[in-house]
Every structure is written in C-alpha cells, then in structure tokens.
Amino acid sequence: SQQGEEDPQALSIQEGENATMNCSYKTSINNLQWYRQNSGRGLVHLILIRSNEREKHSGRLRVTLDTSKKSSSLLITASRAADTASYFCATDERASGTYKYIFGTGTRLKVLA
Amino acid sequence: DAGVIQSPRHEVTEMGQEVTLRCKPISGHNSLFWYRQTMMRGLELLIYFNNNVPIDDSGMPEDRFSAKMPNASFSTLKIQPSEPRDSAVYFCASSFVGYYTFGSGTRLTVV
C-alpha cells in the first residue's frame, strides 16, 4: 500500500520559475525523504527531513514538514531543464530497527527551456 | 564505489518461464530492498532484508515470487512461473542508515 500521495501529479513550468510539490501521508513517521527519478533510471536520494525538523535546505531545494497535517512540500527554486524528472516522497513506518520506506505516487515535473 | 548493481538491465521472457533478477548492494549496507514499479501501481515494496535476513515479505504478490539473500553482497528475486502481469521495472536498493541507494533497475517484459 502507498503511504504518500504527491500533488500535483504533473507540473509544467518555465525555466527559472520555482516548482512546488506536496506530499501527504497517513501514519506517524520518523523521517520523510524526497527522491528524484529521471526517465528510465533508478531513484536518487535528494533530502531527508526528520519528524522533529520543520524545514531543511540543500542547494536549490527546500523541504518543509508539518507533522500535524501529515504533509511535506518540496520547493525547487530557479528551476532548470535538467530538473525535469519525477519526484517522490517516501515515509518510513514506525517499526523498530527497520528502515522500510513507502513511496508516494510521484509528481512528474517538466521544466521548459 | 560502483553503487547498487542490478542484472540484467532488460529481460524479455515468455509466459511460464522462470526469471531471476540479481542485485549486488553497496558494500557495508546492511539493508536491501526489492521494489516493483508500474504505471498503474507506482513503486511497490516487495520484500526487504536486514543483515541478510528477510524482515517483511508482505509485499510479495504471490507464491510465484521468491527472494533470497545468501550473503551480504548478493540477492536474487525469482519469479516462477512468470506471467504477463509481472511486466514491470524491478528495482533493488540498499541502505545502511536512512536513505536508500537504488540500482538502475531491471525492465522485465513477459510475453
């Protein structure tokens, strides 16, 4: 079963604009992660945010987490054509001693040059 | 580090045949995960191992699927017999703590 649902399912923007993707999940988590998948490739880890963190930055990426709403957002600033990919959030289940992550449905981002 | 290595990259097989997918995790990673990705169902966790021991196989669709991890550097996912609905991209991922490193996947087509 899928824990996370990304919104929107697809997003098309112009190069230089900001892209915002949202993720909602169902149960309590320890961590939430965002991954990128280029067409025909495996997923690449972008950023991890812990349940006691509210915001995290990495380069042009900004992630927020609202555990009261069970939601997270990924902001990509000053987007580039190379950012075109699918983006997934992944949440862990509070099972002790494990790092089992469930992935959401993904947002397909297209950045137009 | 070569990353997570999966083989083969592509597999086309006839319905009813046995298919074996292979994965070599990153050295030192103690958890290994098999996922299946389709357009309809997205990324599904099939099974994961911790220290070579299967922890949760609740995602394995049916008895036709089996997975093994005989040692820390090798895992297999076997489908016997294969069916057209098994067509998907199968990913292996490994982790030590926290985030995953994914392989490039095996694209399986069952005709």
Side-chain angles (χ1 to χ4, degrees):
Chain A
S1 62
Q2 287 173 331
Q3 161 85 300
E5 293 282 336
E6 280 91 338
D7 166 55
Q9 287 189 333
L11 179 61
S12 186
I13 59 173
Q14 294 292 325
E15 203 166 31
E17 294 181 338
N18 295 341
T20 300
M21 288 157 271
N22 303 296
C23 168
S24 59
Y25 57 91
K26 297 172 184 170
T27 63
S28 295
I29 62 171
N30 294 308
N31 306 300
L32 183 145
Q33 304 185 45
W34 284 91
Y35 286 79
R36 182 187 73 224
Q37 184 180 32
N38 290 90
S39 180
R41 308 293 294 272
L43 282 77
V44 174
H45 175 261
L46 294 176
I47 196 166
L48 179 151
I49 187 166
R50 304 187 192 285
S51 60
N52 62 352
E53 297 176 312
R54 291 296 167 259
E55 188 171 312
K56 205 161 182 179
H57 297 254
S58 176
R60 294 184 296 112
L61 305 180
R62 173 179 168 252
V63 169
T64 62
L65 179 63
D66 187 335
T67 53
S68 66
K69 295 181 180 178
K70 292 186 170 59
S71 67
S72 173
S73 67
L74 170 67
L75 168 68
I76 304 174
T77 60
S79 63
R80 306 166 181 168
D83 295 327
T84 294
S86 291
Y87 292 82
F88 295 86
C89 68
T91 49
D92 62 345
E93 295 182 350
R94 287 197 176 225
S96 62
T98 68
Y99 294 94
K100 171 182 168 181
Y101 280 83
I102 305 297
F103 284 80
T105 51
T107 292
R108 294 188 308 280
L109 172 66
K110 188 169 186 178
V111 181
L112 304 170
Chain B
D1 194 338
V4 176
I5 299 173
Q6 290 188 247
S7 64
R9 285 298 309 275
H10 302 273
E11 176 81 33
V12 180
T13 190
E14 291 185 346
M15 184 173 64
Q17 295 298 305
E18 176 180 298
V19 176
T20 299
L21 312 181
R22 298 173 176 79
C23 175
K24 178 178 168 54
I26 289 177
S27 177
H29 283 192
N30 62 349
S31 296
L32 183 140
F33 306 81
W34 282 100
Y35 284 85
R36 177 172 69 176
Q37 187 176 36
T38 61
M39 287 294 293
M40 292 297 294
R41 301 174 68 90
L43 268 163
E44 302 173 275
L45 177 62
L46 301 178
I47 185 171
Y48 76 97
F49 297 83
N50 197 41
N51 293 322
N52 311 338
V53 177
I55 303 299
D56 184 348
D57 65 354
S58 59
M60 296 285 262
E62 22 189 302
D63 292 344
R64 297 184 298 106
F65 286 68
S66 63
K68 293 181 180 179
M69 192 165 186
N71 55 61
S73 59
F74 185 65
S75 177
T76 59
L77 178 68
K78 186 176 291 186
I79 308 173
Q80 165 64 20
S82 58
E83 297 182 3
R85 60 195 168 118
D86 302 330
S87 296
V89 181
Y90 291 80
F91 287 104
C92 174
S94 69
S95 74
F96 177 55
V97 288
Y99 67 88
Y100 293 2
T101 301
F102 278 80
S104 298
T106 294
R107 181 174 295 276
L108 174 65
T109 304
V110 183
V111 297

